[in-house]
Amino acid sequence: MNERIVAGLLGYLTLFTGAAMIPPFILAAAFEEIGGAAAFLLSIFLCIAVTFELERFGGLQGKDNIGVRDGIAITGLGWLIVSILGTVPYLAGGYLNLIDSLTESFAGFSGTGATVFEDVEILPRSILLWRSLSNWVGGLGIVVIFMAILSQLGRGAMFILRAETTGPTKDRQMPRIRDNAKAIFKIYVGLTVICAASYYLCGLNIFAAINHAMTTIATGGYGIYNSMVSEYGNASLEYCMAFFMIISSGSFAMYATALRQGGKVILRNGEFKIYLWIVFITSAIIAVDLVLQMNMSVEAAVRGAIFHVASLSSTTGFVAYDFDTYPPISKACLMMTMFLGGCAGSTAGGLKVARIILLFKFVSSIVKQKIHPQILSPVRLNGMIIDNGVVYGAAKFFFAIIVMDILFAFVMMFDGIGFVNSVSVSVSTMASVGPGFGIEGATSTYALLPDFSKLCACVFMFLSRLEVFTVLVLFTPTFWKSAREGW
């Protein structure tokens, strides 16, 4: 691993983090939030200082080439450093203690959207904006940071994108990595603008519309009211939010391709079609259950079902009603959608629909080969034969995520949390959802967790955002050996 290159590129990341703090600082200054302005000013100077030290140690040169280990180190360490620097505004402003600041920052950048604030309505606008920005930056991830510099990285940019991109497949629509990143970024910004405008037309003020748009498209779920979406009591807003949460669960690379080749690309995408069917069928089951078991009106049941299925399947975590009071069948359906998540290449968390498809087809292929040992039964997705390595990768990730869910649940039980609550928090955290059931339900926060569980939650949110293996490899001694030793 080339420490000079890694340090140099980490410097870009810390500088970007400082730049992201400028809008909240300006907002704090404009509204005379003295404490907030001072906290963000200190945070910006700290980011600049860290950037200076990293650039003094390392930097990019003309003929530098990034290897696999460099890409993994830049991605893993970059997310860690950015999340730690993101705690400074909360800590310096006196809004949270150290452990809670870490939890809030990791939840923001990982897109989990869980909060330790028990009353967000007393927070200054600058902090509310910073929470939403952390969601938005974390939603798209490292692609945003490296957009402007990919031309300097050559083929090494591919290793960074592979280490950060979620899902079993890494779509590439254009010959140059930098062009792919730019296209996806434009889609991301465009959808955010359209979403904000739609929310404004639905009755939100400009500040609320921008904040909720950022956290919707990033599928992060931070809000500016304690009661979240139910604060508005606006049916048209709930349908609008559900639509954009579903859109954000689709692959952004798919949307970039559709802009060039037409909307048929979306209609031919098998993963997105299956995701839509999951949303439709699950919403129908929950709506019927709510009408029969809770005597809701048909419209209210349908709206509540669609909204919360969209919210939890996209792992956004917005709450319009207290779904913790729903009947058992409805809660089971919501838990399932939470675990499955959205599509590969989206900002959504969870296992990803593509992996479920691959695993089902893999099992089907094995069954066919047991009956007919001589036939070849390759696994296909979107009409293309999927390499066995990708299929095995999906199986390995499925195993890893189950193990991590169980491990985190055991950690919390060891910390004094009950079995059901531990399982719920574990699944919602590893799926990057935020709200769940029980102690961390629709109307609760991470503030109820003990400090040790909060610190462990930070670790598991970090693992889930980078899909486990990118982080785990950092803890292997072989990874840190010199390149001369032939890793």
Side-chain angles (χ1 to χ4, degrees), residues 190 212 265 296 378 446:
H212 283 97
V265 171
M296 283 190 180
Y446 271 25

Side-chain angles (χ1 to χ4, degrees), residues 201-466:
L201 293 175
C202 286
L204 298 191
N205 60 49
I206 294 177
F207 182 74
I210 292 173
N211 276 269
H212 283 97
M214 286 193 290
T215 59
T216 299
I217 302 303
T219 63
Y222 273 153
I224 62 173
Y225 293 105
N226 296 327
S227 53
M228 300 186 77
V229 181
S230 59
E231 172 74 20
Y232 305 108
N234 187 328
S236 62
L237 176 64
E238 290 172 24
Y239 283 120
C240 186
M241 281 185 160
F243 172 77
F244 281 105
M245 286 188 287
I246 291 171
I247 291 297
S248 300
S249 299
S251 167
F252 282 81
M254 174 186 70
Y255 297 140
T257 304
L259 279 182
R260 298 193 317 276
Q261 300 179 10
K264 291 183 179 179
V265 171
I266 298 176
L267 298 177
R268 290 196 301 263
N269 189 284
E271 181 188 17
F272 192 55
K273 286 193 291 186
I274 290 177
Y275 169 74
L276 292 178
W277 273 111
I278 291 172
V279 170
F280 174 76
I281 293 171
T282 309
S283 298
I285 293 172
I286 293 175
V288 171
D289 193 37
L290 294 179
V291 170
L292 296 178
Q293 299 296 324
M294 298 185 69
N295 296 317
M296 283 190 180
S297 68
V298 173
E299 192 280 330
V302 169
R303 174 158 44 95
I306 292 174
F307 182 89
H308 288 116
V309 169
S311 177
L312 297 190
S313 67
S314 67
T315 69
T316 306
F318 280 144
V319 177
Y321 312 96
D322 186 2
F323 55 75
D324 210 6
T325 62
Y326 281 5
I329 292 177
S330 294
K331 290 199 284 189
C333 289
L334 291 175
M335 180 72 81
M336 179 200 70
T337 59
M338 181 192 303
F339 181 73
L340 293 181
C343 300
S346 69
T347 55
L351 189 62
K352 300 291 189 303
V353 174
R355 288 194 178 96
I356 298 299
I357 297 172
L358 291 178
L359 292 176
F360 270 105
K361 290 189 174 185
F362 182 46
V363 171
S364 175
S365 174
I366 292 174
V367 171
K368 288 179 182 178
Q369 288 181 333
K370 287 290 184 182
I371 300 172
H372 306 287
Q374 304 302 319
I375 70 168
L376 295 175
S377 182
V379 175
R380 296 176 182 271
L381 183 64
N382 293 328
M384 298 183 293
I385 295 176
I386 303 299
D387 183 80
N388 284 339
V390 175
V391 179
Y392 294 143
K396 287 184 285 187
F397 181 78
F398 180 80
F399 172 77
I401 209 72
I402 294 296
V403 170
M404 293 296 171
D405 273 326
I406 294 172
L407 181 60
F408 187 30
F410 268 106
V411 166
M412 286 185 289
M413 283 188 281
F414 175 79
D415 206 21
I417 300 174
F419 173 75
V420 175
N421 289 327
S422 295
V423 172
S424 173
V425 174
S426 178
V427 171
S428 66
T429 300
M430 290 303 295
S432 299
V433 177
F437 303 95
I439 189 175
E440 202 261 315
T443 58
S444 302
T445 69
Y446 271 25
L448 298 175
L449 296 180
D451 285 348
F452 180 69
S453 291
K454 289 176 184 175
L455 289 174
C456 290
C458 292
V459 174
F460 284 97
M461 285 187 282
F462 183 40
L463 283 165
S464 66
R465 179 57 184 86
L466 295 181

Side-chain angles (χ1 to χ4, degrees), residues 78-313:
W79 273 95
L80 184 61
I81 291 172
V82 167
S83 297
I84 291 174
L85 288 173
T87 67
V88 181
Y90 304 123
L91 193 60
Y95 305 107
L96 295 171
N97 61 37
L98 178 59
I99 293 177
D100 285 348
S101 296
L102 285 167
T103 306
E104 192 76 12
S105 183
F106 272 85
F109 283 105
S110 68
T112 305
T115 184
V116 294
F117 285 112
E118 296 186 84
D119 186 0
V120 298
E121 294 178 23
I122 65 172
L123 296 175
R125 291 191 176 200
S126 56
I127 289 294
L128 293 174
L129 179 61
W130 175 239
R131 294 168 78 242
S132 300
L133 272 172
S134 68
N135 264 181
W136 194 76
V137 171
L140 194 59
I142 219 78
V143 173
V144 180
I145 291 89
F146 283 93
M147 269 285 282
I149 63 172
L150 284 178
S151 58
Q152 303 178 44
L153 306 180
R155 69 182 187 89
M158 176 177 61
F159 299 127
I160 298 172
L161 296 180
R162 282 180 177 175
E164 194 276 341
T165 306
T166 60
T169 57
K170 317 298 181 190
D171 294 333
R172 183 174 170 182
Q173 300 76 37
M174 302 178 188
R176 297 179 61 197
I177 296 282
R178 187 167 183 254
D179 291 338
N180 279 275
K182 278 188 173 181
I184 293 172
F185 179 68
K186 288 177 181 178
I187 294 292
Y188 193 64
V189 173
L191 281 176
T192 305
V193 172
I194 294 171
C195 184
S198 300
Y199 288 172
Y200 180 74
L201 293 175
C202 286
L204 298 191
N205 60 49
I206 294 177
F207 182 74
I210 292 173
N211 276 269
H212 283 97
M214 286 193 290
T215 59
T216 299
I217 302 303
T219 63
Y222 273 153
I224 62 173
Y225 293 105
N226 296 327
S227 53
M228 300 186 77
V229 181
S230 59
E231 172 74 20
Y232 305 108
N234 187 328
S236 62
L237 176 64
E238 290 172 24
Y239 283 120
C240 186
M241 281 185 160
F243 172 77
F244 281 105
M245 286 188 287
I246 291 171
I247 291 297
S248 300
S249 299
S251 167
F252 282 81
M254 174 186 70
Y255 297 140
T257 304
L259 279 182
R260 298 193 317 276
Q261 300 179 10
K264 291 183 179 179
V265 171
I266 298 176
L267 298 177
R268 290 196 301 263
N269 189 284
E271 181 188 17
F272 192 55
K273 286 193 291 186
I274 290 177
Y275 169 74
L276 292 178
W277 273 111
I278 291 172
V279 170
F280 174 76
I281 293 171
T282 309
S283 298
I285 293 172
I286 293 175
V288 171
D289 193 37
L290 294 179
V291 170
L292 296 178
Q293 299 296 324
M294 298 185 69
N295 296 317
M296 283 190 180
S297 68
V298 173
E299 192 280 330
V302 169
R303 174 158 44 95
I306 292 174
F307 182 89
H308 288 116
V309 169
S311 177
L312 297 190
S313 67

Side-chain angles (χ1 to χ4, degrees), residues 3-21:
E3 292 86 354
R4 176 180 53 78
I5 294 177
V6 172
L9 292 178
L10 288 178
Y12 281 103
L13 283 173
T14 56
L15 185 62
F16 175 84
T17 306
M21 293 177 181

